[in-house]
Amino acid sequence: MQKLGLNQSLQQKLSPQQIQFIKLLQVPTAELEGRIEEELEVNPALEEGEEQEQEKPEESNTESETEEFQESSSNDDIDIKDYLQDEDYSGYKMQGDGDSDEDNREMPIPMSSSLHEQLMGQLDFLGLDDQQYAIGKQLVGSIESDGYIRRELESIVNDLAFAQGIETTADEVEQVLKMIQTFDPPGIAARNLQECLLLQLDRMDNGHDIDVAVAKKIISECYDEFTKKHYQKIQKKLDTEDEDFIRDAMEVIVKLNPKPGGGSTQAATKNQYIIPDYILTNNNGKLELTLNSRNAPDLRISRSYSDMFKAYEKSNKKDKKLKEAVTFVKQKLDAAKWFIDAIKQRQQTLLKTMNAIIEFQYDFFLEGDETKLRPMILKDIASMISMDISTVSRVASSKAIQTDFGIYPLKYFFSEGIATDSGEEVSSREVKQIIKDIIESEDKDRPYSDDKLETILNEKGYNIARRTVAKYREQLNIPVARLRKEM
């Protein structure tokens, strides 16, 4: 049997305005301009520009702006009095505002060709027949951004057969590959690092440089020992006791480019500029924080849309078509006001969060000394500003601040704490800096192991385990002791 019952439940849902604010909050300043342009395109009731002086309308009984339009109401009226005030909304005046042509001038983007275009240009000069050219084009297309070909030659043979109907062999493909490996930049189209280094050394070998000749011998015959920095084994394999003989060759090798395609790829990519969300200045010992508003222009409600309501107030309110038009206008006006309010709330939240971070890390922002950074987690800032941890996380995840010491992502200031012998807690960044300093000053003939680093840190009063030392060393992109050894 079917039964009819009544259940009562309590659910928490976000309003459209809250969702809009959350999405805007996590957008960095560099992307905010695009988001505002999108809104300006879809909402004609939203305009960009500064607030304008205008006469106020005659006195009227103001009512709630958010009251919904009721088509079935007895008097068929719409509450539009607030819209008639032509209340413009504008953003905060912040650093970056102004009409300076210098500020608004766009940076020129250098013209450059991609790695693929450079290689195809060189391929055209080889004078290949149609089949060889097709193979060369396929090989160039298989070169990855770092300059390597990692696809097996047999697979390239199959690609040519299935996609272009070209019958060839792996030997013929390798012949064309050898030609491409003579292209610039040196080392291009190598299939592994060993081949890449040998290609570059071949280009340098003039038959008279003994260091290059030894370097080629090391890479071709002692490559495994070279990757593990087993210098004594290399000496033994090459049957020499002269360390200088090996050291000079190693200096030649370390100057080679392990990613020959990297330079061309970078040249083909547009320059990426970091646009800070905050600007912090030290004014005679007083820290002053401002928001960068270059990508957050002033916004306001369209006056022409407000004028439509004025015309409606004087017209026949029972006109169905006019009433439908006014309903559309009201929806757009509401959306515009919600967006402007979300932008203003975003700015307030950004300032509130950053001010709390500055207060917490005040000593660092005064001097820029990394050792002055205190342990700080999201919960610390959330408690200071009485906001949810997720809100602080959205602010910190994609924002940056410009200081007198450089530009820092906000995530930089959050770190875990390490206990000391005195019972205090210091930032993990301070410990990482000490590890870095110790490794930089170590004897490269006998670099410190992680166990030795742990002992040194414990002697300095930092209670830290070996596995934590290893974790911090890896985060600093510092290799293990064996790979730091030098001759």
Side-chain angles (χ1 to χ4, degrees), residues 116-155:
H116 180 269
E117 291 171 339
Q118 292 179 20
L119 296 176
M120 286 303 299
Q122 296 175 72
L123 185 68
D124 291 336
F125 285 100
L126 288 182
L128 303 176
D129 58 37
D130 292 344
Q131 174 146 327
Q132 288 178 322
Y133 185 83
I135 294 172
K137 190 174 180 181
Q138 185 74 24
L139 286 168
V140 169
S142 301
I143 295 177
E144 299 180 13
S145 60
D146 57 1
Y148 288 85
I149 286 184
R150 294 185 173 88
R151 191 160 177 78
E152 296 292 336
L153 296 187
E154 289 291 348
S155 300

Side-chain angles (χ1 to χ4, degrees), residues 352-382:
K352 195 173 183 179
T353 304
M354 193 65 232
N355 277 320
I357 294 174
I358 292 173
E359 182 182 343
F360 201 101
Q361 305 286 10
Y362 194 80
D363 292 338
F364 168 81
F365 286 109
L366 274 179
E367 302 176 16
D369 186 355
E370 287 188 355
T371 61
K372 298 291 180 69
L373 281 172
R374 298 169 55 194
M376 183 178 74
I377 58 177
L378 295 172
K379 186 178 179 181
D380 295 327
I381 302 303

